[in-house]
Amino acid sequence: MNNTVMITECLAAFKVDNEITLSDSDAFELYTLYLLNKKSNLGAEDLLNAVVDGSSDGGIDTFLIAVDEFVVNSEEDLESINISSDSTLKVTIGQSKFNNRFSEEVVNKFFISMDSVWNLELTEEQLSETFNEQLVERITWVRTLWKKAIVKGARINIHFYYGCISNEINESDGFRSKKEKVVEQATEKVHQASVSFDLYSAEELLALHSQKTEVHLELKFKEQPSTIDYGGNNIGFIGVVKLPDYYDFITDEEGVIRESIFEENVRHYQGEVDVNKKINESLSNEYETDFWWLNNGITIIAQDVRPMAKTLQVDGVQIVNGLQTSYTIGKNYEKNDSDTRSVLVKIVKSTDKETIDKIISATNRQTPVNPALLRATDDIQRKLELYFEQKGYYYDRRKNFYKNQGKPISKIFAIQSTAQSIHAILNRKPSESRAKPTTLIKTTDSYETIFRPNQNFQSYLNCCLVVRSVETKIKNSEFTKSEKSLVRTFTYHTARIAVSEMTGKSHPNQKELSELDLSNFTDELFNTSVDILKETISEFGTNSATTSHSSISKSGPFEELINQKMITRFSGN
C-alpha cells in the first residue's frame, strides 16, 4: 500500500503548496487533472473551470475541451476558433475518486451519461433535465466544435480517465468489458474519433507527479554560435542549427512536440495555411538550398544560457517567434541525421519582464495579430502584475508564467478572469462578465472601461479575491449539490451582491472597494448573498420568458434587477 500512502502525501503537499482549502475529495479531482496535463498548455484557471462535479453531474468530475492547445472556457470562445483540416478537437472527460479501489459504478455512469452527451437529437432543455448547468454548457460547446470538425475533416480525440488512490490497477473482466463499451459507444457515435480510456492508480499518478517539466534543454549548433553582449546585462546568441538537431530540441523522446516551450507565443499553430504549406514544401523538397536561407528563423528567450563549445545549455526556454516553422518541422519533418540543412536560431538571455514583452511584441509584427493577444504587453498590465506580486498574489498576464514557477494555483489570476471580476463588481455588470468574457478584453472600448491607469489597483485585486472567495465558499458550503450548481452559475452575481453587503452600499466605488476588509466576508454574509440571489432569480422568473439558469445569468435585465434591489436595500446609504 506504499503507493497509496505516498500519493496521499503528495496530495496534501499539493494542497499546501497551492493554498487550496478544499476537502481531499474535491482537491483530488483538481490534482488528478493537473497531473494529467502537467506538460500541456493548461493554465491554473483552465484547471479550475474544467471541474463540473456536483448534482446531476452524470458521474463526470471534469470536462475539458481544447482545439489544438486553445482551451475552451466560454461560449464566446467558439466564435474565435478557426478549425481547419489540420486541427485537433480534444475532449477529456474524467472521474476521480479519493478511495482505494476502482468501482464498476463509475464506468456504468460514464456509459449512461455518454449516451446523452453524444446524442445530437437531444436539445439543451432536454439535457438540462439530466445534467447540471456547467455540464450542459460544455456538452453544447463540444457539439458545436464536433460539427465544425467533421465539416473541415479535423481530427477528434476523446480521452476518458478514471483515477483513484488504489495501490495499483486491478481490473476484473467485468470492469474491463464495461470500460471497452464506453470506448465503443463513443467510437460509434462520434464519426472517425480516436477514443481512449485510461485508468490511473496511485502508481501511475506517482509517475506523473515525478515527471519534470521542460526547464532545462540542450541545443546543438552547426558551428559555435556568435555571442553578442549588449549593455552588460543582456546577452544574445545567434547561429544555425541542423534540422535534425532542432527537431530533437522541440520534441521529446517519443517525438511529441514540447508544448510548454511555446506558451508565450502570441499565436498557436495555424494549420495548413499558405505560409505553412510553403515552409513544408521547402522542408520536404528543397535540398539544394539551405533551409535557413528561405526562412526567417526562430527567436528564443531563456532565463539562463551556458555555452559549451557548439552546444548551449538553456533553462526556462520559451520560443516566442517561429512557432509555425517549429510546428511544421515537428509535425512533418522526417528526421534524417545526414541532412545538413539548418534553421537560423537567435537566443536572448533575459529575465527582465519589460524586455521580454518588447521582444515578444516586436518579433510578432510581421503578420496580423489580434490586438487582444498582445494586451499582456500594455503598461497597465505590467503595473498590475507588479502590484499583485507586492501583495503576495500573481497576475498571470502571460499564461502559465507563474504556474510554471510553482506559485500557488489559488493565488494566480489571469487577465480574462481579472477583467470579468472587475467588470462584475466595480462596473456592476455580472451578466456581461458571464456572457462575454472574451469581448471584455478584445474590444478597445470595453477594455478601457475595465483597465484604467488612474484606478487604485487594490480595488482590482479585491474584486479578484471576492470572486475567488465565492468560488471556494461554494465548494466548502453545506448546500445541496443542486444549490452548489445554481450558485456556481451565478458566481459573479453573488460576488457583486456580497460586495454591497460588505460595504453597505448599492454602488460601491473604487475607493470603497480598495478599502474592503475581506475578513468581513463571513459564511453568514455569503449565505445572505445567496438568499438574495435566489429571491432575485425567483422574482425574475415570474416576469420573464427566460427560464434556464444559464440564460438568466447572461441576461441584462436580470443584471439590472439585482442593481435595483441593491439600491432599494441600501437606499439610506
Side-chain angles (χ1 to χ4, degrees):
M1 299 298 288
N2 284 342
N3 290 335
T4 299
V5 173
M6 286 189 288
I7 200 63
T8 303
E9 290 296 320
C10 289
L11 174 64
F14 175 76
K15 289 175 65 175
V16 171
D17 292 343
N18 290 286
E19 301 186 24
I20 293 171
T21 58
L22 303 176
S23 66
D24 284 345
S25 179
D26 288 337
F28 186 63
E29 297 171 0
L30 195 61
Y31 180 54
T32 304
L33 187 64
Y34 163 78
L35 290 180
L36 265 58
N37 291 277
K38 197 172 180 181
K39 290 192 173 185
S40 73
N41 195 33
L42 209 63
E45 292 184 351
D46 295 329
L47 290 169
L48 297 170
N49 291 332
V51 178
V52 296
D53 73 326
S55 70
S56 305
D57 61 18
I60 299 169
D61 285 340
T62 53
F63 200 113
L64 183 67
I65 309 164
V67 176
D68 297 321
E69 296 308 313
F70 182 88
V71 181
V72 180
N73 283 315
S74 73
E75 186 175 356
E76 260 202 324
D77 288 339
L78 304 180
E79 301 171 7
S80 58
I81 293 175
N82 180 29
I83 294 182
S84 69
S85 60
D86 201 58
S87 301
T88 302
L89 169 61
K90 303 174 185 176
V91 184
T92 304
I93 300 171
Q95 172 70 272
S96 304
K97 291 292 186 183
F98 191 67
N99 52 39
N100 57 11
R101 70 180 184 86
F102 288 98
S103 168
E104 289 188 21
E105 182 183 356
V106 168
V107 189
N108 286 335
K109 286 183 178 179
F110 268 147
F111 186 78
I112 294 169
S113 296
M114 289 304 113
D115 190 55
S116 297
V117 171
W118 308 132
N119 185 352
L120 295 176
E121 294 183 358
L122 289 181
T123 64
E124 187 172 341
E125 289 72 21
Q126 289 172 316
L127 289 171
S128 297
E129 295 173 2
T130 305
F131 302 122
N132 64 43
E133 296 281 354
Q134 291 75 40
L135 189 50
V136 169
E137 280 187 332
R138 290 186 174 258
I139 294 171
T140 57
W141 300 345
V142 162
R143 290 179 171 186
T144 300
L145 295 170
W146 171 14
K147 293 172 185 176
K148 288 183 179 180
I150 293 296
V151 170
K152 295 294 185 178
R155 292 178 293 274
I156 302 176
N157 291 344
I158 301 170
H159 179 220
F160 296 98
Y161 74 86
Y162 173 17
C164 75
I165 59 171
S166 168
N167 195 59
E168 58 187 8
I169 295 174
N170 287 307
E171 291 183 89
S172 66
D173 290 340
F175 184 97
R176 187 178 298 107
S177 175
K178 290 176 180 178
K179 189 180 72 172
E180 290 171 354
K181 286 182 179 179
V182 173
V183 174
E184 290 171 5
Q185 178 190 48
T187 303
E188 289 173 3
K189 294 200 173 187
V190 184
H191 182 62
Q192 293 186 338
S194 174
V195 186
S196 59
F197 195 145
D198 294 322
L199 302 181
Y200 295 89
S201 70
E203 183 176 6
E204 287 72 35
L205 293 176
L206 282 171
L208 292 173
H209 179 88
S210 300
Q211 281 184 352
K212 302 298 182 183
T213 53
E214 312 295 352
V215 294
H216 173 81
L217 291 172
E218 182 177 285
L219 182 59
K220 183 180 179 181
F221 283 75
K222 192 171 185 178
E223 302 294 341
Q224 186 166 336
S226 298
T227 303
I228 303 167
D229 187 0
Y230 184 77
N233 297 321
N234 300 294
I235 300 175
F237 302 84
I238 189 167
V240 293
V241 177
K242 290 203 301 183
L243 287 176
D245 291 328
Y246 188 70
Y247 176 85
D248 287 342
F249 179 72
I250 61 172
T251 60
D252 60 20
E253 295 79 4
E254 298 175 355
V256 178
I257 294 175
R258 304 180 195 270
E259 287 290 345
S260 62
I261 66 176
F262 294 98
E263 285 163 0
E264 290 187 15
N265 205 288
V266 299
R267 60 173 72 73
H268 203 269
Y269 185 56
Q270 301 297 297
E272 293 299 314
V273 296
D274 287 342
V275 171
N276 291 342
K277 286 180 180 178
K278 290 176 181 177
I279 294 173
N280 194 31
E281 286 174 9
S282 299
L283 197 65
S284 305
N285 304 317
E286 188 61 67
Y287 286 90
E288 294 183 3
T289 306
D290 204 342
F291 182 78
W292 76 271
W293 298 354
L294 310 171
N295 186 272
N296 290 333
I298 313 296
T299 301
I300 297 174
I301 294 175
Q303 294 177 357
D304 191 25
V305 182
R306 296 179 298 281
M308 295 180 66
K310 296 181 181 180
T311 300
L312 295 182
Q313 307 291 327
V314 285
D315 293 339
V317 174
Q318 280 298 304
I319 296 176
V320 298
N321 187 254
L323 180 143
Q324 306 305 319
T325 297
S326 298
Y327 258 75
T328 302
I329 292 172
K331 292 168 75 71
N332 301 314
Y333 180 60
E334 295 183 8
K335 185 183 174 185
N336 179 0
D337 289 330
S338 64
D339 188 353
T340 59
R341 293 176 301 164
S342 305
V343 61
L344 178 67
V345 177
K346 63 179 181 181
I347 299 180
V348 179
K349 174 187 174 183
S350 181
T351 56
D352 181 74
K353 294 171 183 175
E354 189 168 351
T355 299
I356 293 171
D357 286 339
K358 289 178 180 178
I359 294 170
I360 292 172
S361 180
T363 55
N364 283 281
R365 286 177 182 159
Q366 73 279 17
T367 53
V369 178
N370 188 321
L373 297 174
L374 292 175
R375 293 295 191 196
T377 65
D378 289 355
D379 185 57
I380 189 174
Q381 299 298 330
R382 286 198 296 270
K383 289 177 179 177
L384 270 174
E385 180 182 29
L386 179 61
Y387 185 84
F388 274 48
E389 195 165 1
Q390 289 172 342
K391 296 296 182 178
Y393 296 91
Y394 305 97
Y395 186 57
D396 211 31
R397 62 189 178 88
R398 286 169 290 137
K399 185 176 179 180
N400 286 340
F401 181 79
Y402 289 107
K403 179 190 140 187
N404 290 342
Q405 290 190 347
K407 301 302 182 184
I409 289 175
S410 65
K411 289 193 169 186
I412 298 174
F413 299 95
I415 290 181
Q416 184 164 296
S417 66
T418 299
Q420 287 176 278
S421 299
I422 296 168
H423 198 53
I425 296 173
L426 185 58
N427 294 350
R428 296 174 292 281
K429 295 285 187 179
S431 291
E432 281 193 6
S433 293
R434 172 91 166 92
K436 302 177 180 180
T438 305
T439 301
L440 296 182
I441 58 175
K442 185 176 181 180
T443 63
T444 300
D445 288 346
S446 175
Y447 177 79
E448 291 180 350
T449 64
I450 296 170
F451 294 107
R452 302 175 184 177
N454 60 344
Q455 292 284 56
N456 184 321
F457 286 164
Q458 185 63 45
S459 66
Y460 287 177
L461 176 57
N462 284 347
C463 287
C464 294
L465 294 176
V466 170
V467 171
R468 185 61 55 85
S469 183
V470 168
E471 292 169 343
T472 302
K473 286 181 181 296
I474 292 171
K475 276 284 188 182
N476 294 333
S477 71
E478 295 182 357
F479 295 161
T480 64
K481 287 185 175 182
S482 59
E483 286 177 319
K484 286 184 179 182
S485 178
L486 169 68
V487 183
R488 185 176 173 184
T489 302
F490 292 87
T491 294
Y492 290 109
H493 304 78
T494 306
R496 182 264 178 271
I497 295 169
V499 166
S500 281
E501 290 295 307
M502 279 189 276
T503 60
K505 300 289 181 69
S506 62
H507 289 50
N509 60 33
Q510 172 260 335
K511 183 175 184 297
E512 290 161 341
L513 283 172
S514 69
E515 296 171 350
L516 198 65
D517 185 354
L518 292 172
S519 66
N520 291 329
F521 192 13
T522 61
D523 289 343
E524 182 180 357
L525 189 144
F526 170 67
N527 290 333
T528 298
S529 302
V530 171
D531 288 341
I532 294 171
L533 171 71
K534 290 178 180 176
E535 291 170 6
T536 311
I537 293 172
S538 178
E539 182 179 336
F540 184 80
T542 60
N543 300 306
S544 172
T546 304
T547 56
S548 79
H549 290 152
S550 179
S551 298
I552 292 173
S553 71
K554 301 171 186 175
S555 164
F558 179 71
E559 183 177 78
E560 286 305 311
L561 181 58
I562 288 179
N563 290 333
Q564 287 300 319
K565 287 183 78 72
M566 293 298 99
I567 290 172
T568 301
R569 186 171 175 82
F570 299 106
S571 58
N573 297 333

